[in-house]
Amino acid sequence: PIEDGEVTITRAAGSITLPSRFMLVGAIMDRSGITEMLVNFAKACIGWIRYGMVYVTILAGILMGGISGSATADTAALSGILIPTMERQGYPRNFTAPLQASAGTLGVIIPPSLCMIVLGSVTNLQVSKLFIAGIIPGCIVGLCIGIISFFICRSQGFGESDTMRFSLKLLGKSTKEAVWALLIPVIIVGGILAGVFTPTEASVIAVVYTLFVALMVTKTIRLKDIPAIFCDAARSTGTVMFVIGTSAVWSWILSYANIPGMLADAITSFTQSPFVVMMIITVIFLIGGMFIDGTPLIIMLVPLLYPVATAVGFDPLAFGIIICICNAMGAITPPVGAALFVACASGGVKLEKTFKYVYPIVIAELISIIILCIIPQLASFLPSVVGR
């Protein structure tokens, strides 16, 4: 057990610089106006569909998630732009706030994801494989949220003024403006998928690329702004890096005491069904996410529950992605839901008024978890294809 703990500490030390670079990419993106470019592109692509702004929000969340990987940062960026816009088109703020929060949390599932980096530091899962595994499930979660939101809007009569005609000219213009931003997730994810570089190398390339775009192409930031951007990123990642570092000690203690083994024996003596075991784990994370922030919850529970899931033969990558979805649910469920608080603060709406629409979104994410439990190959397919 001591040797296992030492391996965990080594893996955590190797992962600790990765979040800082992706958070830096997010900080540059926030200052450079890339968020607005992505929103305009999403609007031109699917804004003309009935309840189009709902789907624009979700697509923008997926595109944003492919850049920064931070749920609260993505939620803040999306909420500031989309909540006032959607209100003018007939969507009440007590609905749009949880929608923006759920779209922002897609960054937890879509690579690059800080949640996946933390998972990689407390398990033996490769971060690169987790990144690739999150692509298909992330899109499934977005689709489930979109379907639930469609029925909400139709039943409540939202979005009556949400009318927009498809314009090829507007699509071409928005694509031209957003092409530099759209290339960021292509570089990060595509490079890892193609085996051109590792996640660590991808994070460096992404930082250099976003700086180049912001300074030389869009010219939305200046050289004098760079120190402030670096300081913002350093403050945001300081806590994450500290938590990742200390998680190794917690993992070593659990391993040394053989607590994961005892817990695995207890649960497997009750049931051997992978589906039932994962549903139990999901409920544990859902309840825990209401009161504890996602990263500490992963550090406390994953070293205990990961051996249980693998002991009954559940796919390790699917387990990791399900935990990321649980993390996303925790970010929008009160009383602690950080992303929901950010969206409510940005939209100027009271938290308790959003509960009516939070829980249908949580149900949509639970449905996506059930789908993954039934078909875990949805997470493992891409990593097996690229052979990483």
Side-chain angles (χ1 to χ4, degrees), residues 36 46 61 72 112 164 191 193 226 305 346:
E36 190 170 356
I46 57 175
T72 52
M164 174 182 170
L193 278 170
I226 292 179
L305 299 175
S346 179

Side-chain angles (χ1 to χ4, degrees), residues 52-86:
M53 286 306 299
V54 171
Y55 313 128
V56 166
T57 297
I58 295 169
L59 178 58
I62 291 174
L63 295 174
M64 292 276 290
I67 299 175
S68 75
S70 170
T72 52
D74 291 353
T75 300
L78 289 171
S79 300
I81 297 173
L82 288 173
I83 287 181
T85 301
M86 292 187 70

Side-chain angles (χ1 to χ4, degrees), residues 136-343:
I136 295 176
C139 294
I140 291 174
V141 174
L143 179 63
C144 290
I145 294 173
I147 293 172
I148 290 291
S149 298
F150 168 82
F151 286 109
I152 292 174
C153 292
R154 192 172 71 170
S155 64
Q156 300 293 319
F158 297 160
E160 296 298 330
S161 303
D162 187 0
T163 55
M164 174 182 170
R165 291 184 178 181
F166 176 76
S167 170
L168 192 60
K169 181 180 179 180
L170 179 62
L171 178 61
K173 180 183 177 182
S174 62
T175 303
K176 182 180 179 180
E177 292 175 349
V179 65
W180 292 98
L182 293 171
L183 283 175
I184 300 175
V186 172
I187 290 172
I188 295 174
V189 180
I192 296 172
L193 278 170
V196 177
F197 38 66
T198 66
T200 302
E201 294 165 345
S203 65
V204 176
I205 293 170
V207 169
V208 174
Y209 177 83
T210 48
L211 273 176
F212 169 77
V213 171
L215 287 170
M216 306 301 295
V217 180
T218 63
K219 297 181 180 180
T220 47
I221 66 172
R222 302 177 183 177
L223 285 173
K224 66 179 183 179
D225 298 324
I226 292 179
I229 292 174
F230 273 70
C231 288
D232 288 344
R235 282 191 292 266
S236 300
T237 57
T239 302
V240 175
M241 292 174 69
F242 176 79
V243 169
I244 291 176
T246 54
S247 69
V249 179
W250 174 248
S251 298
W252 181 88
I253 293 171
L254 292 176
S255 179
Y256 183 76
N258 195 32
I259 294 176
M262 291 187 291
L263 183 62
D265 291 339
I267 294 181
T268 53
S269 64
F270 169 71
T271 179
Q272 291 287 330
S273 168
F275 179 82
V276 174
V277 168
M278 286 309 302
M279 286 295 98
I280 293 172
I281 291 174
T282 298
V283 171
I284 292 172
F285 267 89
L286 180 59
I287 295 173
M290 293 181 177
F291 306 99
I292 304 174
D293 190 55
T295 301
L297 194 64
I298 288 174
I299 291 165
M300 287 189 292
L301 295 181
V302 167
L304 292 170
L305 299 175
Y306 177 69
V308 177
T310 54
V312 296
F314 194 76
D315 184 87
L317 289 175
F319 170 86
I321 301 306
I322 287 173
I323 296 304
C324 289
I325 299 174
C326 290
N327 198 324
M329 287 193 295
I332 64 172
T333 50
V336 173
L340 184 61
F341 270 101
V342 169

Side-chain angles (χ1 to χ4, degrees), residues 16-151:
I16 200 167
T17 59
L18 195 56
S20 60
R21 299 191 187 111
F22 285 125
M23 290 295 285
L24 180 56
V25 171
I28 297 168
M29 179 189 70
D30 186 48
R31 293 288 190 99
S32 62
I34 290 177
T35 302
E36 190 170 356
M37 297 178 191
L38 294 176
V39 169
N40 290 336
F41 171 75
K43 191 183 298 184
C45 286
I46 57 175
W48 51 273
I49 303 174
R50 184 67 174 126
Y51 308 123
M53 286 306 299
V54 171
Y55 313 128
V56 166
T57 297
I58 295 169
L59 178 58
I62 291 174
L63 295 174
M64 292 276 290
I67 299 175
S68 75
S70 170
T72 52
D74 291 353
T75 300
L78 289 171
S79 300
I81 297 173
L82 288 173
I83 287 181
T85 301
M86 292 187 70
E87 185 179 33
R88 289 193 294 271
Q89 296 182 353
Y91 298 96
R93 294 199 173 204
N94 60 340
F95 167 70
T96 56
L99 179 65
Q100 303 303 321
S102 64
T105 59
L106 290 174
V108 174
I109 311 162
I110 300 290
S113 164
L114 300 182
C115 175
M116 294 176 185
I117 296 170
V118 176
L119 270 169
S121 72
V122 297
T123 65
N124 61 349
L125 296 174
Q126 294 182 19
V127 174
S128 59
K129 286 188 175 182
L130 282 169
F131 277 8
I132 299 168
I135 297 173
I136 295 176
C139 294
I140 291 174
V141 174
L143 179 63
C144 290
I145 294 173
I147 293 172
I148 290 291
S149 298
F150 168 82
F151 286 109

